[in-house]
Amino acid sequence: MVTDRRASWLRGVLDLLVLSCLTDGESYGYEIAKRLDEAGLGRIKGGTLYPVLNRLEEAGLVRAEFRAAERGPGRRYYRLTPEGRRGLKEQGAAWRAFHRAVEEALDRGERDV
């Protein structure tokens, strides 16, 4: 039986995906998770997403600001820093190169099956 490996693949690229969700402007956790789900990446739970956002904030790649709401709980809004934009560009290029290498290796392997 083949194991579904998508969750472990996602962990390896989730930081980049979160950064990419912030390229058009600030957002909050629920909206980021919703965008990733709509992109076909599945439902990202808060217990997975918020540690990523905290790690990105500690690394200086995103900046967070808490805003009180008129009704209901407040939200933390996240936005990219200049370092985050540079990191997304550099690591995005590295991910694409890695992805191409994986595709080529899989193509070779599948031809031999």
Side-chain angles (χ1 to χ4, degrees), residues 34-92:
K34 184 177 168 186
R35 285 182 66 185
L36 294 172
D37 189 21
E38 289 170 352
L41 298 165
R43 188 169 164 256
I44 310 297
K45 296 179 181 178
T48 299
L49 180 60
Y50 288 103
V52 169
L53 287 164
N54 289 336
R55 185 171 54 250
L56 294 172
E57 184 179 11
E58 288 173 7
L61 302 176
V62 300
R63 183 152 304 152
E65 176 185 335
F66 180 81
R67 294 185 194 153
E70 288 184 25
R71 287 185 278 165
R75 294 184 176 140
R76 281 177 70 82
Y77 283 82
Y78 299 87
R79 63 183 163 89
L80 280 177
T81 64
E83 294 85 6
R85 289 187 185 282
R86 281 193 297 277
L88 176 60
K89 186 174 181 178
E90 293 168 6
Q91 292 303 310

Side-chain angles (χ1 to χ4, degrees), residues 5-51:
R5 305 283 304 179
R6 287 177 289 187
S8 57
W9 299 337
L10 184 60
R11 276 192 300 275
V13 73
L14 188 55
D15 289 24
L16 285 175
L17 294 171
V18 169
L19 291 174
S20 73
C21 285
L22 297 171
T23 57
D24 293 333
E26 65 185 13
S27 191
Y28 54 95
Y30 175 78
E31 281 296 321
I32 293 169
K34 184 177 168 186
R35 285 182 66 185
L36 294 172
D37 189 21
E38 289 170 352
L41 298 165
R43 188 169 164 256
I44 310 297
K45 296 179 181 178
T48 299
L49 180 60
Y50 288 103

Side-chain angles (χ1 to χ4, degrees), residues 9 98-113:
W9 299 337
F98 178 75
H99 180 263
R100 282 190 298 274
V102 169
E103 279 190 323
E104 290 171 10
L106 289 174
D107 288 348
R108 280 192 306 275
E110 289 172 355
R111 280 193 303 267
D112 295 339
V113 173

